[in-house]
PDB file of all heavy atoms in Angstrom:
ATOM      1  N   MET P1084       8.145  -0.422  11.935  1.00 70.00           N
ATOM      2  CA  MET P1084       9.523  -0.055  11.757  1.00 70.00           C
ATOM      3  C   MET P1084      10.400  -0.734  12.790  1.00 70.00           C
ATOM      4  O   MET P1084      11.503  -1.150  12.493  1.00 70.00           O
ATOM      5  CB  MET P1084       9.637   1.473  11.838  1.00 70.00           C
ATOM      6  CG  MET P1084      11.002   1.969  11.505  1.00 70.00           C
ATOM      7  SD  MET P1084      11.484   1.417   9.876  1.00 70.00           S
ATOM      8  CE  MET P1084      12.161   2.860   9.223  1.00 70.00           C
ATOM      9  N   TYR P1087      11.461  -4.199  11.776  1.00 83.00           N
ATOM     10  CA  TYR P1087      12.550  -4.204  10.803  1.00 83.00           C
ATOM     11  C   TYR P1087      13.888  -3.901  11.472  1.00 83.00           C
ATOM     12  O   TYR P1087      14.912  -4.499  11.130  1.00 83.00           O
ATOM     13  CB  TYR P1087      12.284  -3.193   9.678  1.00 83.00           C
ATOM     14  CG  TYR P1087      11.272  -3.692   8.681  1.00 83.00           C
ATOM     15  CD1 TYR P1087       9.948  -3.282   8.739  1.00 83.00           C
ATOM     16  CD2 TYR P1087      11.635  -4.579   7.684  1.00 83.00           C
ATOM     17  CE1 TYR P1087       9.014  -3.742   7.835  1.00 83.00           C
ATOM     18  CE2 TYR P1087      10.706  -5.045   6.763  1.00 83.00           C
ATOM     19  CZ  TYR P1087       9.405  -4.628   6.846  1.00 83.00           C
ATOM     20  OH  TYR P1087       8.473  -5.089   5.949  1.00 83.00           O
ATOM     21  N   ARG P1155      -0.418   6.630  -3.734  1.00 95.00           N
ATOM     22  CA  ARG P1155      -0.112   6.238  -2.354  1.00 95.00           C
ATOM     23  C   ARG P1155      -1.161   5.280  -1.804  1.00 95.00           C
ATOM     24  O   ARG P1155      -0.830   4.226  -1.240  1.00 95.00           O
ATOM     25  CB  ARG P1155       0.005   7.471  -1.452  1.00 95.00           C
ATOM     26  CG  ARG P1155       0.378   7.127  -0.013  1.00 95.00           C
ATOM     27  CD  ARG P1155       0.479   8.334   0.913  1.00 95.00           C
ATOM     28  NE  ARG P1155      -0.685   9.198   0.842  1.00 95.00           N
ATOM     29  CZ  ARG P1155      -0.718  10.374   0.192  1.00 95.00           C
ATOM     30  NH1 ARG P1155       0.359  10.839  -0.410  1.00 95.00           N
ATOM     31  NH2 ARG P1155      -1.815  11.101   0.168  1.00 95.00           N
ATOM     32  N   GLN P1159      -0.659   1.291  -0.835  1.00 97.00           N
ATOM     33  CA  GLN P1159      -0.968   0.807   0.511  1.00 97.00           C
ATOM     34  C   GLN P1159      -2.006  -0.308   0.467  1.00 97.00           C
ATOM     35  O   GLN P1159      -1.863  -1.324   1.151  1.00 97.00           O
ATOM     36  CB  GLN P1159      -1.453   1.961   1.395  1.00 97.00           C
ATOM     37  CG  GLN P1159      -0.368   2.929   1.762  1.00 97.00           C
ATOM     38  CD  GLN P1159      -0.884   4.101   2.582  1.00 97.00           C
ATOM     39  OE1 GLN P1159      -2.089   4.276   2.767  1.00 97.00           O
ATOM     40  NE2 GLN P1159       0.029   4.904   3.089  1.00 97.00           N
ATOM     41  N   LEU P1162      -0.446  -3.620  -0.866  1.00 96.00           N
ATOM     42  CA  LEU P1162       0.425  -4.257   0.121  1.00 96.00           C
ATOM     43  C   LEU P1162      -0.395  -4.893   1.238  1.00 96.00           C
ATOM     44  O   LEU P1162      -0.173  -6.058   1.609  1.00 96.00           O
ATOM     45  CB  LEU P1162       1.413  -3.239   0.688  1.00 96.00           C
ATOM     46  CG  LEU P1162       2.524  -2.804  -0.263  1.00 96.00           C
ATOM     47  CD1 LEU P1162       3.299  -1.630   0.313  1.00 96.00           C
ATOM     48  CD2 LEU P1162       3.464  -3.959  -0.577  1.00 96.00           C
ATOM     49  N   ARG P1167       1.252  -7.560   3.397  1.00 94.00           N
ATOM     50  CA  ARG P1167       2.593  -6.984   3.396  1.00 94.00           C
ATOM     51  C   ARG P1167       2.602  -5.722   4.238  1.00 94.00           C
ATOM     52  O   ARG P1167       1.619  -4.991   4.286  1.00 94.00           O
ATOM     53  CB  ARG P1167       3.047  -6.634   1.970  1.00 94.00           C
ATOM     54  CG  ARG P1167       3.129  -7.805   1.032  1.00 94.00           C
ATOM     55  CD  ARG P1167       4.140  -8.817   1.550  1.00 94.00           C
ATOM     56  NE  ARG P1167       4.398  -9.836   0.581  1.00 94.00           N
ATOM     57  CZ  ARG P1167       5.586 -10.062   0.047  1.00 94.00           C
ATOM     58  NH1 ARG P1167       6.624  -9.351   0.401  1.00 94.00           N
ATOM     59  NH2 ARG P1167       5.745 -11.019  -0.839  1.00 94.00           N
ATOM     60  N   TRP P1168       3.717  -5.473   4.869  1.00 93.00           N
ATOM     61  CA  TRP P1168       3.851  -4.294   5.727  1.00 93.00           C
ATOM     62  C   TRP P1168       4.008  -3.030   4.892  1.00 93.00           C
ATOM     63  O   TRP P1168       4.511  -3.069   3.776  1.00 93.00           O
ATOM     64  CB  TRP P1168       5.043  -4.458   6.667  1.00 93.00           C
ATOM     65  CG  TRP P1168       4.815  -5.545   7.658  1.00 93.00           C
ATOM     66  CD1 TRP P1168       5.323  -6.808   7.617  1.00 93.00           C
ATOM     67  CD2 TRP P1168       3.989  -5.490   8.819  1.00 93.00           C
ATOM     68  NE1 TRP P1168       4.871  -7.537   8.680  1.00 93.00           N
ATOM     69  CE2 TRP P1168       4.050  -6.757   9.439  1.00 93.00           C
ATOM     70  CE3 TRP P1168       3.204  -4.507   9.394  1.00 93.00           C
ATOM     71  CZ2 TRP P1168       3.362  -7.058  10.609  1.00 93.00           C
ATOM     72  CZ3 TRP P1168       2.520  -4.808  10.565  1.00 93.00           C
ATOM     73  CH2 TRP P1168       2.607  -6.062  11.160  1.00 93.00           C
ATOM     74  N   LEU P1169       3.573  -1.921   5.473  1.00 93.00           N
ATOM     75  CA  LEU P1169       3.653  -0.612   4.818  1.00 93.00           C
ATOM     76  C   LEU P1169       4.923   0.121   5.206  1.00 93.00           C
ATOM     77  O   LEU P1169       5.650  -0.291   6.101  1.00 93.00           O
ATOM     78  CB  LEU P1169       2.455   0.252   5.221  1.00 93.00           C
ATOM     79  CG  LEU P1169       1.081  -0.273   4.882  1.00 93.00           C
ATOM     80  CD1 LEU P1169       0.017   0.706   5.363  1.00 93.00           C
ATOM     81  CD2 LEU P1169       0.944  -0.529   3.401  1.00 93.00           C
ATOM     82  N   GLY P1170       5.130   1.222   4.552  1.00 90.00           N
ATOM     83  CA  GLY P1170       6.135   2.198   4.894  1.00 90.00           C
ATOM     84  C   GLY P1170       5.571   3.538   4.474  1.00 90.00           C
ATOM     85  O   GLY P1170       4.474   3.612   3.917  1.00 90.00           O
ATOM     86  N   SER P1171       6.297   4.596   4.708  1.00 90.00           N
ATOM     87  CA  SER P1171       5.853   5.898   4.222  1.00 90.00           C
ATOM     88  C   SER P1171       6.990   6.524   3.431  1.00 90.00           C
ATOM     89  O   SER P1171       8.157   6.211   3.647  1.00 90.00           O
ATOM     90  CB  SER P1171       5.416   6.809   5.376  1.00 90.00           C
ATOM     91  OG  SER P1171       6.489   7.042   6.252  1.00 90.00           O
ATOM     92  N   GLY P1172       6.614   7.402   2.501  1.00 91.00           N
ATOM     93  CA  GLY P1172       7.621   8.042   1.669  1.00 91.00           C
ATOM     94  C   GLY P1172       8.430   7.010   0.902  1.00 91.00           C
ATOM     95  O   GLY P1172       7.886   6.103   0.278  1.00 91.00           O
ATOM     96  N   LYS P1173       9.757   7.137   0.990  1.00 93.00           N
ATOM     97  CA  LYS P1173      10.626   6.230   0.240  1.00 93.00           C
ATOM     98  C   LYS P1173      10.471   4.776   0.697  1.00 93.00           C
ATOM     99  O   LYS P1173      10.681   3.850  -0.080  1.00 93.00           O
ATOM    100  CB  LYS P1173      12.083   6.668   0.341  1.00 93.00           C
ATOM    101  CG  LYS P1173      12.666   6.549   1.725  1.00 93.00           C
ATOM    102  CD  LYS P1173      14.098   7.056   1.760  1.00 93.00           C
ATOM    103  CE  LYS P1173      14.675   6.944   3.163  1.00 93.00           C
ATOM    104  NZ  LYS P1173      16.022   7.513   3.210  1.00 93.00           N
ATOM    105  N   TRP P1174      10.036   4.576   1.944  1.00 92.00           N
ATOM    106  CA  TRP P1174       9.872   3.212   2.441  1.00 92.00           C
ATOM    107  C   TRP P1174       8.649   2.537   1.852  1.00 92.00           C
ATOM    108  O   TRP P1174       8.624   1.316   1.682  1.00 92.00           O
ATOM    109  CB  TRP P1174       9.867   3.187   3.969  1.00 92.00           C
ATOM    110  CG  TRP P1174      11.261   3.356   4.467  1.00 92.00           C
ATOM    111  CD1 TRP P1174      11.815   4.501   4.970  1.00 92.00           C
ATOM    112  CD2 TRP P1174      12.303   2.380   4.453  1.00 92.00           C
ATOM    113  NE1 TRP P1174      13.139   4.281   5.278  1.00 92.00           N
ATOM    114  CE2 TRP P1174      13.460   2.990   4.972  1.00 92.00           C
ATOM    115  CE3 TRP P1174      12.368   1.055   4.049  1.00 92.00           C
ATOM    116  CZ2 TRP P1174      14.670   2.313   5.091  1.00 92.00           C
ATOM    117  CZ3 TRP P1174      13.567   0.377   4.171  1.00 92.00           C
ATOM    118  CH2 TRP P1174      14.696   1.003   4.688  1.00 92.00           C
ATOM    119  N   LEU P1175       7.630   3.301   1.508  1.00 94.00           N
ATOM    120  CA  LEU P1175       6.484   2.716   0.818  1.00 94.00           C
ATOM    121  C   LEU P1175       6.926   2.220  -0.555  1.00 94.00           C
ATOM    122  O   LEU P1175       6.573   1.119  -0.976  1.00 94.00           O
ATOM    123  CB  LEU P1175       5.341   3.728   0.693  1.00 94.00           C
ATOM    124  CG  LEU P1175       4.085   3.233  -0.025  1.00 94.00           C
ATOM    125  CD1 LEU P1175       3.492   2.006   0.671  1.00 94.00           C
ATOM    126  CD2 LEU P1175       3.057   4.351  -0.111  1.00 94.00           C
ATOM    127  N   VAL P1176       7.720   3.015  -1.241  1.00 95.00           N
ATOM    128  CA  VAL P1176       8.241   2.618  -2.553  1.00 95.00           C
ATOM    129  C   VAL P1176       9.100   1.361  -2.418  1.00 95.00           C
ATOM    130  O   VAL P1176       8.964   0.411  -3.203  1.00 95.00           O
ATOM    131  CB  VAL P1176       9.055   3.769  -3.193  1.00 95.00           C
ATOM    132  CG1 VAL P1176       9.732   3.310  -4.472  1.00 95.00           C
ATOM    133  CG2 VAL P1176       8.152   4.974  -3.452  1.00 95.00           C
ATOM    134  N   ARG P1177       9.956   1.311  -1.426  1.00 94.00           N
ATOM    135  CA  ARG P1177      10.813   0.138  -1.227  1.00 94.00           C
ATOM    136  C   ARG P1177      10.006  -1.114  -0.918  1.00 94.00           C
ATOM    137  O   ARG P1177      10.293  -2.189  -1.438  1.00 94.00           O
ATOM    138  CB  ARG P1177      11.818   0.418  -0.111  1.00 94.00           C
ATOM    139  CG  ARG P1177      12.857   1.440  -0.515  1.00 94.00           C
ATOM    140  CD  ARG P1177      13.763   1.805   0.628  1.00 94.00           C
ATOM    141  NE  ARG P1177      14.690   2.846   0.197  1.00 94.00           N
ATOM    142  CZ  ARG P1177      15.531   3.461   1.001  1.00 94.00           C
ATOM    143  NH1 ARG P1177      15.580   3.132   2.286  1.00 94.00           N
ATOM    144  NH2 ARG P1177      16.331   4.387   0.540  1.00 94.00           N
ATOM    145  N   ARG P1178       9.002  -0.979  -0.066  1.00 94.00           N
ATOM    146  CA  ARG P1178       8.166  -2.137   0.264  1.00 94.00           C
ATOM    147  C   ARG P1178       7.427  -2.636  -0.984  1.00 94.00           C
ATOM    148  O   ARG P1178       7.306  -3.836  -1.213  1.00 94.00           O
ATOM    149  CB  ARG P1178       7.138  -1.792   1.343  1.00 94.00           C
ATOM    150  CG  ARG P1178       7.731  -1.328   2.627  1.00 94.00           C
ATOM    151  CD  ARG P1178       8.147  -2.471   3.531  1.00 94.00           C
ATOM    152  NE  ARG P1178       8.642  -1.915   4.775  1.00 94.00           N
ATOM    153  CZ  ARG P1178       9.935  -1.782   5.082  1.00 94.00           C
ATOM    154  NH1 ARG P1178      10.848  -2.207   4.253  1.00 94.00           N
ATOM    155  NH2 ARG P1178      10.313  -1.261   6.222  1.00 94.00           N
ATOM    156  N   LEU P1179       6.918  -1.701  -1.784  1.00 95.00           N
ATOM    157  CA  LEU P1179       6.200  -2.070  -2.997  1.00 95.00           C
ATOM    158  C   LEU P1179       7.147  -2.741  -3.993  1.00 95.00           C
ATOM    159  O   LEU P1179       6.804  -3.758  -4.593  1.00 95.00           O
ATOM    160  CB  LEU P1179       5.546  -0.837  -3.616  1.00 95.00           C
ATOM    161  CG  LEU P1179       4.573  -1.091  -4.754  1.00 95.00           C
ATOM    162  CD1 LEU P1179       3.417  -1.967  -4.302  1.00 95.00           C
ATOM    163  CD2 LEU P1179       4.055   0.226  -5.302  1.00 95.00           C
TER     164      LEU P1179
END
Side-chain angles (χ1 to χ4, degrees):
M1084 187 57 136
Y1087 283 100
R1155 182 181 50 256
Q1159 289 177 352
L1162 288 170
R1167 299 299 189 119
W1168 293 102
L1169 300 180
S1171 61
K1173 67 182 179 184
W1174 284 102
L1175 179 59
V1176 173
R1177 290 175 183 174
R1178 300 276 183 259
L1179 190 60

